[in-house]
């Protein structure tokens, strides 16, 4: 099966030399590829469900990572990737039974600038969040800030509610802070 796509910056410029890795549940790399001068990458791998894909170039120096989770590979699939100096980590999507027609999305945003400054909490101070469910922009119903204990320090995470049902296939999230730094991530429905 082919898994391919393009790696681009927040400005839609191709990123050559990005390292794209498919990882198992233990975060060990099982397949690796690199984007070419057009930003194009390709894997030819067995059919299956792959827990994680990451992409980055110059991690913690120039960029933070792009993450995609639960990649179902039962047919040739395209996955375009974009990253910058923000990262969306720990992305989870779930519904609360009996709570109406909405999906809960949890994630922790991280900022390269704050990391390089040595801040304890490396979440950006303020972000705008955009969510697509199966390619369609969806409204954010509620946005909650969460204090998460990560290792030995408290970090800021978000729990948002968006319109949607359990029948979604792919959710994509993009965040932008007040300094126009950008981050993105995607997750496929593990039940599909």
């Amino acid at each position: 099966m082919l898994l391919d796509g393009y790696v681009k910056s927040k400005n839609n410029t191709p990123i050559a030399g990005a390292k794209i890795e498919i990882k198992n549940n233990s975060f060990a790399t099982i397949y690796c590829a690199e984007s070419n001068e057009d930003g194009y990458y390709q894997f030819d791998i067995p059919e299956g469900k792959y827990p994680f894909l990451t992409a980055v170039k110059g991690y913690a120096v120039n960029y933070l990572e792009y993450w995609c989770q639960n990649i179902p590979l039962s047919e040739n699939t395209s996955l375009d990737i974009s990253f910058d100096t923000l990262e969306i980590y720990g992305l989870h999507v779930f519904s609360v039974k009996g709570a109406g027609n909405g999906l809960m999305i949890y994630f922790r945003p991280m900022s390269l600038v704050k990391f390089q400054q040595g801040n304890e909490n490396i979440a950006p101070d303020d972000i705008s969040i955009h969510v697509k469910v199966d390619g369609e922009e969806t409204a954010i119903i509620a946005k909650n800030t969460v204090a998460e204990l990560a290792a030995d320090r408290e970090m800021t995470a978000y729990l948002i509610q968006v319109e949607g049902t359990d029948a979604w296939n792919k959710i994509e999230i993009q965040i932008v802070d007040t300094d126009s730094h950008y981050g993105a991530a995607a997750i496929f429905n593990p039940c599909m």
Side-chain angles (χ1 to χ4, degrees):
M1 299 278 117
L2 292 181
L3 173 63
D4 69 351
Y6 290 88
V7 181
K8 297 186 177 182
S9 71
K10 67 179 180 180
N11 300 322
N12 214 26
T13 305
I15 298 176
K19 188 174 185 180
I20 303 96
E21 297 181 338
I22 295 178
K23 300 175 180 285
N24 63 20
N25 279 321
S26 301
F27 297 112
T29 300
I30 54 177
Y31 299 103
C32 188
E34 188 171 297
S35 61
N36 68 16
E37 64 277 355
D38 297 321
Y40 180 75
Y41 74 94
Q42 177 181 303
F43 291 96
D44 188 357
I45 55 179
E47 180 176 339
K49 186 174 269 191
Y50 294 94
F52 302 103
L53 177 145
T54 61
V56 73
K57 181 178 180 179
Y59 180 74
V61 176
N62 299 313
Y63 300 104
L64 289 179
E65 289 176 308
Y66 169 90
W67 285 81
C68 183
Q69 295 174 229
N70 306 324
I71 302 161
L73 201 55
S74 58
E75 60 186 17
N76 293 340
T77 302
S78 289
L79 177 67
D80 290 335
I81 294 168
S82 60
F83 57 77
D84 187 46
T85 57
L86 298 182
E87 182 175 324
I88 297 172
Y89 188 77
L91 177 60
H92 289 286
V93 178
F94 59 95
S95 60
V96 178
K97 302 300 178 199
N101 188 19
L103 296 169
M104 305 301 288
I105 301 173
Y106 181 87
F107 65 94
R108 182 184 342 135
M110 298 189 293
S111 163
L112 178 59
V113 172
K114 286 197 162 193
F115 172 78
Q116 290 173 336
Q117 292 171 345
N119 293 350
E120 284 282 318
N121 185 349
I122 59 172
D125 291 324
D126 190 26
I127 57 173
S128 62
I129 304 169
H130 302 277
V131 178
K132 288 184 180 180
V133 177
D134 296 328
E136 298 292 324
E137 186 92 20
T138 190
I140 295 174
I141 300 168
K143 176 180 164 185
N144 300 285
T145 304
V146 178
E148 178 183 332
L149 187 60
D152 61 344
R153 60 184 165 189
E154 192 174 283
M155 298 183 73
T156 301
Y158 287 89
L159 177 64
I160 62 173
Q161 184 178 11
V162 300
E163 295 176 349
T165 68
D166 286 339
W168 60 276
N169 180 52
K170 179 181 171 192
I171 292 179
E172 300 168 277
I173 298 181
Q174 296 178 342
I175 58 174
V176 179
D177 70 9
T178 53
D179 293 319
S180 297
H181 299 132
Y182 167 88
I187 187 169
F188 287 88
N189 191 334
C191 299
M192 300 298 268

